[in-house]
């Protein structure tokens, strides 16, 4: 597996604003959307294009368009939806899947409560979205679900990753590249990334 840390100064700047506890819900939501757009630019950097004939107002020409089936974003509920908005600003025609997981309090393992994926997932570039790669268990379970549905070309985008999460995810899915804005120190005893940015879902949706 490869982990790409997107170190663009605008990404670093926006991530600092996200980490700041003083950032409001409205600000947090707007900045996640902006940073998603920048991460989306990186994760789609090597998408294939094909030459198609068009005519400018002055003459015909061959020009590049994205090749193949529309790509597919898969949001891991609920914080993935924050990243989804920015990704769709960038690729409005993309298909979208959603996967909902909760953690079983007894086993601490992720349990799926919702999954809806578009058709033809085997032929699509799939980009999985979850701002926090903490234990890595939810992301690994979501990718396993996508693979069971036929997904083969899969990438993962997060904003902050813990080394433990990267290790667990890599063990489960060595074929899936991870794009993140930062790798932090590690997890605390509650499974939060330190220093992190807190609970991404709560900060996005104002539930705390
Ligand atoms: N999920 C979050 O939203 N934040 C963390 O730090 C870990 C998991």
């Amino acid at each position: 597996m490869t982990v790409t840390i997107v170190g663009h100064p605008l990404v670093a700047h926006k991530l600092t604003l996200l980490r700041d506890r003083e950032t409001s819900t409205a600000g947090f939501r707007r900045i996640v959307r902006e940073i998603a757009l920048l991460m989306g630019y990186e994760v789609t950097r090597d998408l294939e294009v094909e030459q198609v004939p068009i005519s400018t107002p002055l003459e015909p020409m061959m020009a590049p368009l994205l090749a193949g089936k529309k790509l597919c974003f898969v949001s891991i509920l609920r914080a993935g939806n924050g990243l989804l908005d920015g990704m769709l600003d960038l690729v409005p025609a993309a298909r979208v899947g959603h996967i909902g997981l909760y953690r079983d309090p007894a086993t601490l393992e992720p349990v799926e409560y919702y999954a809806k994926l578009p058709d033809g997932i085997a032929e699509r570039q799939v980009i999985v979205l979850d701002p926090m790669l903490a234990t890595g268990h939810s992301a690994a379970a979501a990718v396993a679900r996508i693979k069971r549905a036929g997904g083969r070309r899969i990438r993962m985008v997060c904003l902050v990753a813990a080394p433990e999460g990267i290790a667990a995810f890599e063990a489960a899915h060595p074929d899936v590249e991870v794009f993140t804005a930062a790798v932090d120190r590690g997890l605390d005893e509650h499974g939060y990334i330190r220093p992190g940015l807190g609970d991404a879902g709560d900060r996005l949706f104002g539930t705390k």
Side-chain angles (χ1 to χ4, degrees):
M1 178 180 81
T2 332
V3 178
T4 299
I5 300 174
V6 178
H8 193 289
L10 283 174
V11 171
H13 176 89
K14 288 177 194 299
L15 181 60
T16 299
L17 300 179
L18 287 181
R19 290 184 189 277
D20 188 342
R21 63 182 301 160
E22 300 302 328
T23 298
S24 67
T25 299
F28 193 90
R29 198 176 288 153
R30 178 178 49 76
I31 297 161
V32 169
R33 188 176 186 135
E34 291 170 0
I35 207 170
L37 209 134
L38 297 166
M39 300 291 291
Y41 185 77
E42 289 297 329
V43 74
T44 55
R45 184 178 277 284
D46 56 1
L47 284 183
E48 259 180 61
V49 292
E50 62 187 350
Q51 299 293 323
V52 299
I54 59 159
S55 291
T56 76
L58 300 180
E59 63 177 59
M61 71 177 288
M62 298 297 285
L65 277 183
L66 290 177
K69 274 192 181 295
K70 303 273 183 294
L71 65 80
C72 173
F73 296 120
V74 177
S75 167
I76 303 183
L77 300 176
R78 65 187 163 144
N81 280 1
L83 288 175
L84 181 60
D85 291 338
M87 294 284 171
L88 287 175
D89 287 344
L90 194 65
V91 193
R95 302 306 188 240
V96 177
H98 294 88
I99 296 180
L101 303 153
Y102 70 89
R103 193 192 291 196
D104 184 303
T107 64
L108 301 183
E109 287 305 312
V111 180
E112 181 183 305
Y113 66 86
Y114 184 80
K116 188 83 180 171
L117 298 171
D119 290 342
I121 202 141
E123 290 86 49
R124 299 181 192 279
Q125 173 67 58
V126 178
I127 299 174
V128 182
L129 308 173
D130 190 350
M132 311 303 279
L133 188 64
T135 62
H137 295 159
S138 300
V143 169
R145 178 69 179 77
I146 293 164
K147 286 182 174 173
R148 284 201 302 279
R152 288 181 287 115
R153 286 192 297 142
I154 306 171
R155 288 179 170 177
M156 165 88 206
V157 172
C158 58
L159 297 181
V160 184
E164 300 92 321
I166 291 174
F169 187 79
E170 176 168 30
H173 301 291
D175 55 315
V176 177
E177 270 181 66
V178 174
F179 290 71
T180 185
V183 178
D184 275 11
R185 191 173 67 241
L187 296 179
D188 68 14
E189 64 278 21
H190 306 292
Y192 280 95
I193 300 177
R194 297 296 184 112
L197 50 73
D199 188 302
D202 281 343
R203 295 199 64 193
L204 268 169
F205 301 114
T207 42
K208 209 171 186 183

